[in-house]
Amino acid sequence: MLSIPVHYRDDLESVMIPYGLILDRTEALATQIFNDFGNEPLVCLCVLKGGYRFFSDLTKRIQSPNRTNGNKSLPMMLDFIRLKSYHNTESSGQVEIIGGDDLNNLRGKNVLIVEDMIDTGRTMVKLISRLKEFAPKQVKTCTLLVKRTSLSNGFEPDYTGFSIPEKFIVGYALDLNEHFRDLEVS
Ligand code: IMP
Ligand code: MG
């Protein structure tokens, strides 16, 4: 029986993904990432606020093969950014990066962006092109969720947790006007 906090019970249509399932999938993604990047330092870049729960669970699980894989190990640096979007017009919408360390530190590094959700893909495309100005070795993307939407710009992340139908999702750090970030259903 899945339990939903009483104060959210009337607000939710259904539970899409229970926490245990997120963790199972996250562990598989962590193994894949470890195998793909092993031995070369990786900057894991959390897109706040929505990405923080997934980022925490994912980076923790990349650490476990680090302890048990003999000579192979993946040194990680963890960093956090927030994005501010300006949508004056559809095409000139800019993404400004706020917070985080000096992005010049990304020069020559493998970077993994960790995000909560890809919807139209616009945010990700703009973020990647902004980060590339700092000359990283490569930029890869990992998202917990991808929405199946006709509004997609075709962007495909390198690592995806779940592909979901076009619904508005909350919980596990995803919000609706800052509500529901604390929601977790297990
Ligand atoms: P995109 O630029 O259209 O891909 O939008 C991506 C951003 O919109 C994500 O980083 C989320 O923060 C937010 N977003 C899109 N769909 C949802 C949702 O269903 N729940 C919460 N946030 C969402
Ligand atoms: Mg987000």
Side-chain angles (χ1 to χ4, degrees):
M1 168 77 184
L2 299 171
S3 74
I4 297 172
V6 175
H7 54 281
Y8 286 147
R9 220 161 261 176
D10 296 336
D11 302 320
L12 304 170
E13 187 186 309
S14 66
V15 175
M16 187 172 279
I17 310 172
Y19 185 45
L21 191 53
I22 292 179
L23 287 184
D24 282 355
R25 183 72 190 117
T26 301
E27 189 153 345
L29 289 174
T31 305
Q32 219 181 319
I33 291 166
F34 178 83
N35 289 333
D36 290 352
F37 290 96
N39 288 338
E40 269 198 50
L42 178 65
V43 180
C44 296
L45 196 57
C46 174
V47 183
L48 294 172
K49 299 176 187 176
Y52 100 94
R53 292 292 308 274
F54 177 48
F55 183 78
S56 166
D57 284 329
L58 181 72
T59 52
K60 187 168 149 191
R61 275 157 190 80
I62 297 174
Q63 278 302 322
S64 355
N66 263 345
R67 289 191 291 269
T68 55
N69 263 258
N71 290 331
K72 191 168 173 177
S73 71
L74 174 58
M76 282 190 291
M77 275 156 287
L78 309 183
D79 201 359
F80 301 82
I81 55 173
R82 282 188 71 181
L83 302 180
K84 218 170 158 183
S85 306
Y86 300 97
H87 293 296
N88 303 331
T89 68
E90 294 276 298
S91 54
S92 70
Q94 295 281 320
V95 165
E96 190 196 336
I97 300 173
I98 49 178
D101 293 340
D102 183 356
L103 292 171
N104 287 301
N105 294 338
L106 300 182
R107 180 174 295 275
K109 303 254 172 58
N110 290 325
V111 178
L112 181 68
I113 300 172
V114 181
E115 172 64 302
D116 55 354
M117 162 88 73
I118 311 282
D119 186 3
T120 64
R122 256 186 254 148
T123 305
M124 220 17 120
V125 165
K126 284 177 202 148
L127 174 59
I128 291 169
S129 87
R130 185 85 185 88
L131 291 180
K132 285 196 167 160
E133 292 169 24
F134 298 88
K137 181 176 174 193
Q138 58 175 337
V139 179
K140 299 280 185 184
T141 51
C142 179
T143 184
L144 176 64
L145 304 169
V146 174
K147 224 178 257 192
R148 293 191 294 274
T149 167
S150 56
L151 301 176
S152 166
N153 64 4
F155 174 78
E156 287 188 22
D158 300 285
Y159 305 95
T160 298
F162 301 91
S163 157
I164 60 164
E166 198 165 12
K167 301 242 180 198
F168 199 83
I169 307 299
V170 293
Y172 196 62
L174 283 82
D175 75 309
L176 174 62
N177 297 330
E178 295 301 327
H179 294 285
F180 304 105
R181 287 198 201 276
D182 62 319
L183 172 67
E184 176 183 305
V185 180
S186 49

